[in-house]
Amino acid sequence: MFKNKIGAFGGVVLLALGLAACGSSSSSSSSSSTSGGSSATISGAGSTFAAPVYEQWSSSLSPLTVNYQAVGSGAGITSLESKTVDFGASDPPLKPEDEEAIAKNGSPAVQIPMFLGAITVSYNLPGVKTGLKLEGSTVADIYLGKIKTWNDPEIAKLNPGVKLPSTTITVIHRSDSSGTTSGFTSFLAAVDPEFKSKVGEGKDAGVAGAVQQTTGAVGYVEQAYALQHNFTYASVKNKSGSFVAPTLASTSAAGEGVTVPANLGIKVINSPAASAYPITSQTFIVVNKDLCKAGQSESVAKGVVKFIDYGLGQGQSILGQADYAGLPSAILAKSKEAAAGLQCNGTAISG
């Protein structure tokens, strides 16, 4: 069950995603844009889900240079904990133990929601177009190994009139600490008790490459990457009972009415909104509240805040260009408040 079918080439495909979606595996960014301000170089690491957006944003912030490594959410948080980067990027909210570890740097952890994006159920099935209807419980049964072929009655009953082949299903998933995996498995755990008990929630470049190269494959892939590479993907049944395709509108809808906890650790998976795409994820930038007390110089601290402020300001308006969705106004206000509270040696930072 839930075996990793990617094999040894997973890391190679991850590098390929870094090149295709981010410009390079380390996402070093600069441009001729004249936004003025800090000329510092800042470093970040984490979410592959967020990497295309951070590349896009950083290109508008010259003379600020942003070096970003798309290494997965878990590795990004570990890098922040070890003080090898200036900010971490994570799709899942921080766990209490991570908050404690980051605070040991000299200042409390702050997680700031930045934007939303859809996670597609992508498949490689010649003759079957985008829009195959799937329920969460059906996808869970596929990943549990209970559904083994594409013409299984459980899939067929959801898709009357669709000619489904008897092709064996090859299940693809990531084995690293990926926020995309966390979002996908959080959805399956929410809708399927057996999946929750047997697999649970985990922390997709490798997934994307394996799906694209394997006939009969199914995997979870960020919408931006799926669209960029012409993947076919499912319409998934949401909490209100509608089959919804991942679009900017349905992704945005998933964030409406979300409860925002005190630490801003929002979760938008399996939204009850009628028009919401159910496998939608949030992504965070994670920093220490007082960056200078955590070891950054004043110029780096100002650079980090400038990057965050841009993302929560002008950056929201260009998210659609990369096939991601902006934050709903209520969450955006909380994110801006958190950013305004960032400090350097006790003094508020102006980006």
Side-chain angles (χ1 to χ4, degrees), residues 14-259:
L14 178 58
L15 176 59
L17 175 60
L19 293 170
C22 311
S24 74
S25 60
S26 63
S27 296
S28 297
S29 303
S30 62
S31 78
S32 59
S33 173
T34 55
S35 59
S38 173
S39 60
T41 296
I42 64 173
S43 62
S47 168
T48 59
F49 177 85
V53 171
Y54 293 161
E55 170 71 12
Q56 182 187 54
W57 287 352
S58 63
S59 69
S60 300
L61 290 171
S62 178
L64 179 68
T65 298
V66 182
N67 293 327
Y68 182 75
Q69 297 180 351
V71 292
S73 295
I77 295 305
T78 299
S79 296
L80 181 63
E81 292 170 357
S82 63
K83 301 173 73 169
T84 58
V85 295
D86 303 313
F87 68 90
S90 176
D91 306 331
L94 291 174
K95 297 178 181 178
E97 56 266 32
D98 287 322
E99 291 187 275
E100 293 174 7
I102 293 168
K104 290 179 181 178
N105 288 345
S107 179
V110 177
Q111 58 187 341
I112 303 176
M114 299 303 295
F115 56 90
L116 309 178
I119 301 169
T120 69
V121 181
S122 289
Y123 50 87
N124 182 346
L125 203 56
V128 179
K129 299 178 180 179
T130 282
L132 188 70
K133 293 180 179 179
L134 294 175
E135 294 182 343
S137 58
T138 307
V139 180
D141 283 347
I142 290 171
Y143 270 80
L144 289 169
K146 296 168 68 176
I147 295 178
K148 300 181 184 299
T149 62
W150 281 105
N151 64 350
D152 186 277
E154 191 172 339
I155 299 175
K157 73 178 181 182
L158 298 174
N159 297 277
V162 178
K163 187 176 181 180
L164 295 168
S166 59
T167 308
T168 298
I169 297 173
T170 301
V171 172
I172 309 294
H173 76 98
R174 284 179 68 163
S175 58
D176 62 348
S177 188
S178 156
T180 309
T181 301
S182 179
F184 181 72
T185 56
S186 292
F187 169 68
L188 295 185
V191 300
D192 190 90
E194 184 178 0
F195 187 91
K196 183 175 182 179
S197 65
K198 291 185 176 180
V199 179
E201 301 178 22
K203 278 274 221 207
D204 98 327
V207 175
V211 170
Q212 199 167 34
Q213 296 171 31
T214 307
T215 299
V218 62
Y220 45 94
V221 180
E222 293 98 332
Q223 180 188 13
Y225 194 79
L227 290 174
Q228 181 182 357
H229 294 275
N230 298 313
F231 280 39
T232 48
Y233 48 82
S235 293
V236 182
K237 190 174 183 178
N238 69 11
K239 202 167 188 177
S240 68
S242 299
F243 287 94
V244 180
T247 65
L248 288 180
S250 63
T251 300
S252 296
E256 298 295 341
V258 170
T259 300

Side-chain angles (χ1 to χ4, degrees), residues 254-299:
E256 298 295 341
V258 170
T259 300
V260 183
N263 70 353
L264 305 192
I266 60 169
K267 290 185 177 182
V268 301
I269 285 287
N270 203 30
S271 167
S275 59
Y277 178 70
I279 321 179
T280 297
S281 178
Q282 66 291 315
T283 194
F284 304 88
I285 281 181
V286 183
V287 293
N288 287 94
K289 182 179 178 70
D290 193 310
L291 288 88
C292 297
K293 288 183 178 179
Q296 283 95 337
S297 67
E298 183 177 358
S299 63

